[in-house]
Amino acid sequence: MRAAFQIISERVEAFTGRRGKVEQRIITLLDLDSHPLINTVDYVLSEEEKAKYSGKCQGKKVELSINDATVAFGNRLRLKGQILSMS
C-alpha cells in the first residue's frame, strides 16, 4: 500500500530486548489523504533509512510503501515498509 504523510516529529525509542538494549528511530506521521486517519501513526526507520534520513525529517512530506501495520506501545499504530520519496 502507498500513502502520503507529513512528518511531525522524530525520536529514538529504546528498550531492553532479549539480547540487550534495542534502539529504534521512530518518526511520527500525519496522514495527508482526502479521508485521513483520525490519529497520528509511527513509522520505524530501517538501518539504511537511518543513515540517509536521520535528523533531516522534521516538517517534510514523505511517500511510503507500507508492508506491515501493527499495534505497539500505548496502542499506537506502527508502520513498517520503505520510504519512496521525501520532499
Side-chain angles (χ1 to χ4, degrees):
M1 177 175 106
R2 295 175 109 177
F5 295 94
Q6 174 79 34
I7 299 173
I8 296 175
S9 70
E10 182 178 353
R11 69 183 187 282
V12 174
E13 185 175 89
F15 59 92
T16 304
R18 284 185 253 162
R19 297 183 181 153
K21 187 175 181 180
V22 176
E23 288 188 4
Q24 294 180 329
R25 175 81 49 187
I26 308 290
I27 55 176
T28 303
L29 306 169
L30 180 65
D31 192 4
L32 295 177
D33 191 37
S34 59
H35 300 289
L37 297 170
I38 293 173
N39 296 324
T40 58
V41 296
D42 293 335
Y43 175 77
V44 180
L45 293 174
S46 67
E47 292 299 321
E48 297 82 26
E49 292 169 340
K50 278 185 204 177
K52 190 172 182 181
Y53 300 114
S54 185
K56 305 172 190 172
C57 296
Q58 184 114 4
K60 295 191 177 184
K61 293 181 183 179
V62 65
E63 185 177 357
L64 298 177
S65 172
I66 302 165
N67 60 16
D68 185 31
T70 59
V71 177
F73 303 113
N75 290 329
R76 291 189 53 81
L77 186 61
R78 180 157 294 173
L79 307 174
K80 290 184 181 180
Q82 182 179 9
I83 295 177
L84 300 175
S85 66
M86 186 178 294
S87 59

